[in-house]
Amino acid sequence: MKKLLTLIFFISFVSTYGQSLQYFNKLISPDSSSNHLDNICHYDLGYVVSSSWRDTPYFYNQSPLLFKINIQGDILDKRLYLDTTHWYYFYPGNSMVIASDSTIIMAGCRWNLQKGSHAFLMRVDTNLDTLFTKEFTHPDTIAAGQPGAYTHNQFTSIRETYDKGFILTGKYNYQCNTNGIEKPYLLKLDSLCNVEWIRKYNDDALIYEVELAPDSGYYFVFLSTVNHIMCMIKADQSGNIEWFVVINSLPYSSGPANLEIYDDNTLYIGSSYWYDPVVGKRGIVLTKVDIPSQQRVWERNYVMFNNFSHSTIHQTIGLDIAHDGNLIISGTVEMPDPQNPGVLAFKGFIAKIDPNGDSLWARYFGYGDFQYINQVNDIVLTDDGGFLTVGYFYDWHPGIMYEDGWIVKMDSLGCDTPGCHLISIEESVLSREEPEVFPNPFRDLINIVLPE
């Protein structure tokens, strides 16, 4: 005989131990038309969010929009930077920073049919007023200057450096070729965003983000698009490669990737791999690197809710260090409806993994009915131990094309509703023996040992 045993723990210590009691999961419209939320950063006592605002009548127009929110997700201020002649794109997750002078900087590209895409940077003040915008020339300027040359040049991430300047990663079409081959580069700017140097790399590859090393050098993740080898690279302060280590040794490694410096001796990289390349399903790889020995300590792979995938053409993977020292991985997955396995949909997910690579918990979440499309583009850890994600919502029902910004506040257990804390166990009753429960009394952890 089977029975369903539901354990519900109403624990009074939650607020004392930093457990957030603030939840929300909602759509947000900082302006009319469609809004994809791309990046979120801590700002003053709240947050600033970047959005891709699409002016629906102009198909080839997508303008940047910034808005400030409080911890409840209420919009405090907003500014649209309308341009009806270009399509602006800022990569999700790593293309916005808050500088030490509290200015906000977004780095991406702007594109139109006649000129191709050009790397683009925008800086605004605390009132969201534009200080300046700047377009950067193609790394192969001679080839780009030829009549009819098609240019492809985009920034993919930005970080502020120790000297108050900025380091950016980018990709471009070498010699303005049109065969889809892209080469990566690092670009160093001073505090006024003037170019100090550019370091181009010869491999056909992608750089997903860059982080600062204590010696003023840089760490970044590098994926070859030819042999699909993924490496973590350490470069000096001029962008010269000092050492590297393969961080995803699986035969079918894949982007995206994210890097997090844990301490002086350790860093972690989250990436992806095709665990079923025939069907097209991906899992997640977490890799630990020992910095002093320049060696990979281990790599672990996980299958998160059927398929690590996304709705739009660009996907991110979030990797953060929680307040308790564990690792937080987030992103978007494609998964079947638990009530109707024939229906697949994109949902957000968040998982906690300890520093040894052992999974602690994982959740999926979305807005509305299961069949709606949701995508997570960025995440920040909140002061109460919880998490705040931004992305977009899409209703694909026949006759309906509805998109909007999507924002979710979760507690420290990755829950956006109180019911997420319920634990349901289907148990076979084989004995009248009493279960063993310890410790007793308990605070935040209880062990239940059921008889065979």
Side-chain angles (χ1 to χ4, degrees):
M1 181 178 65
K2 297 274 189 178
K3 70 174 183 178
L4 187 66
L5 174 64
T6 303
L7 309 177
I8 308 175
F9 302 131
F10 296 97
I11 305 171
S12 61
F13 69 87
V14 288
S15 59
T16 304
Y17 286 86
Q19 172 68 49
S20 169
L21 298 180
Q22 178 67 48
Y23 315 82
F24 58 79
N25 184 339
K26 62 183 181 180
L27 304 184
I28 187 169
S29 298
D31 215 308
S32 60
S33 195
S34 79
N35 298 277
H36 291 198
L37 310 185
D38 298 322
N39 294 269
I40 182 170
C41 294
H42 288 275
Y43 198 71
D44 292 332
L45 299 178
Y47 307 88
V48 63
V49 180
S50 66
S51 173
S52 299
W53 182 90
R54 185 176 302 168
D55 188 6
T56 306
Y58 301 96
F59 180 74
Y60 292 107
N61 165 243
Q62 181 170 284
S63 298
L65 184 148
L66 288 173
F67 63 96
K68 298 177 183 178
I69 60 173
N70 57 21
I71 188 61
Q72 288 77 34
D74 303 319
I75 296 176
L76 306 176
D77 194 9
K78 65 180 181 180
R79 188 65 55 88
L80 171 65
Y81 309 94
L82 182 61
D83 181 349
T84 59
T85 61
H86 291 88
W87 182 288
Y88 289 78
Y89 185 77
F90 301 92
Y91 273 80
N94 294 308
S95 59
M96 181 173 70
V97 294
I98 311 301
S100 53
D101 61 359
S102 297
T103 58
I104 304 166
I105 301 177
M106 294 189 293
C109 72
R110 64 181 179 186
W111 168 83
N112 66 22
L113 287 174
Q114 290 74 37
K115 298 181 180 180
S117 63
H118 298 265
F120 176 82
L121 186 145
M122 177 177 183
R123 192 170 198 168
V124 306
D125 63 18
T126 56
N127 296 318
L128 304 184
D129 294 325
T130 303
L131 295 174
F132 62 83
T133 62
K134 190 171 185 178
E135 190 173 279
F136 293 79
T137 58
H138 192 277
D140 293 334
T141 53
I142 295 178
Q146 300 301 312
Y150 180 80
T151 61
H152 172 76
N153 182 24
Q154 299 181 357
F155 290 141
T156 58
S157 70
I158 181 172
R159 294 288 183 267
E160 186 176 27
T161 53
Y162 297 122
D163 61 0
K164 311 304 182 186
F166 303 92
I167 187 73
L168 297 98
T169 63
K171 60 180 182 178
Y172 70 106
N173 58 335
Y174 175 71
Q175 295 297 318
C176 293
N177 64 73
T178 57
N179 58 9
I181 300 299
E182 298 173 318
K183 295 185 182 293
Y185 62 85
L186 290 184
L187 180 68
K188 176 66 171 65
L189 306 179
D190 63 17
S191 60
L192 299 176
C193 297
N194 298 309
V195 175
E196 292 187 352
W197 53 259
I198 184 171
R199 179 68 58 195
K200 298 183 288 184
Y201 301 100
N202 292 326
D203 299 82
D204 299 334
L206 297 172
I207 299 177
Y208 287 96
E209 72 150 337
V210 62
E211 295 290 350
L212 305 183
D215 62 357
S216 298
Y218 310 101
Y219 297 113
F220 56 88
V221 182
F222 184 100
L223 174 63
S224 169
T225 56
V226 176
N227 54 27
H228 301 285
I229 295 177
M230 183 176 289
C231 298
M232 195 290 301
I233 291 179
K234 169 61 172 64
D236 65 18
Q237 59 184 345
S238 298
N240 301 305
I241 296 176
E242 295 183 322
W243 57 272
F244 70 92
V245 58
V246 176
I247 51 92
N248 188 331
S249 63
L250 295 173
Y252 302 102
S253 60
S254 169
N258 208 335
L259 183 151
E260 190 73 30
I261 300 173
Y262 194 82
D263 54 32
D264 292 340
N265 298 316
T266 306
L267 56 83
Y268 291 91
I269 302 97
S271 60
S272 183
Y273 75 106
W274 297 95
Y275 75 87
D276 190 340
V278 177
V279 178
K281 292 183 178 182
R282 288 187 302 165
I284 289 173
V285 177
L286 180 65
T287 307
K288 179 180 181 180
V289 172
D290 181 70
I291 297 173
S293 67
Q294 303 173 12
Q295 297 293 320
R296 182 181 70 226
V297 180
W298 50 253
E299 67 178 54
R300 305 282 180 86
N301 54 296
Y302 316 84
V303 176
M304 296 285 185
F305 303 108
N306 191 55
N307 184 20
F308 176 61
S309 188
H310 54 111
S311 175
T312 63
I313 60 174
H314 300 286
Q315 185 178 20
T316 62
I317 181 171
L319 181 61
D320 297 273
I321 301 173
H323 299 299
D324 58 9
N326 290 304
L327 303 171
I328 299 297
I329 295 180
S330 61
T332 306
V333 288
E334 183 185 32
M335 58 180 297
D337 185 343
Q339 305 302 320
N340 185 2
V343 176
L344 297 176
F346 295 98
K347 299 297 170 187
F349 86 92
I350 184 169
K352 177 176 277 193
I353 297 174
D354 73 16
N356 295 318
D358 296 323
S359 179
L360 300 176
W361 51 256
R363 321 262 189 236
Y364 75 87
F365 55 97
Y367 181 85
D369 293 337
F370 191 86
Q371 66 266 32
Y372 294 127
I373 291 175
N374 302 108
Q375 179 165 308
V376 171
N377 287 331
D378 201 7
I379 184 174
V380 291
L381 277 61
T382 55
D383 293 336
D384 59 6
F387 314 97
L388 190 58
T389 67
V390 295
Y392 92 105
F393 167 90
Y394 176 41
D395 184 349
W396 56 269
H397 285 78
I400 300 176
M401 294 185 62
Y402 179 76
E403 300 178 10
D404 215 332
W406 177 48
I407 184 168
V408 182
K409 171 64 174 66
M410 291 170 279
D411 66 11
S412 63
L413 295 176
C415 296
D416 62 341
T417 59
C420 176
H421 296 291
L422 304 185
I423 306 170
S424 293
I425 306 169
E426 190 173 70
E427 176 198 19
S428 296
V429 180
L430 300 177
S431 172
R432 295 181 180 274
E433 295 175 24
E434 293 295 327
E436 181 183 359
V437 180
F438 62 94
N440 187 12
F442 70 95
R443 278 187 167 180
D444 57 343
L445 178 65
I446 183 170
N447 299 279
I448 302 175
V449 180
L450 299 175
E452 289 186 359

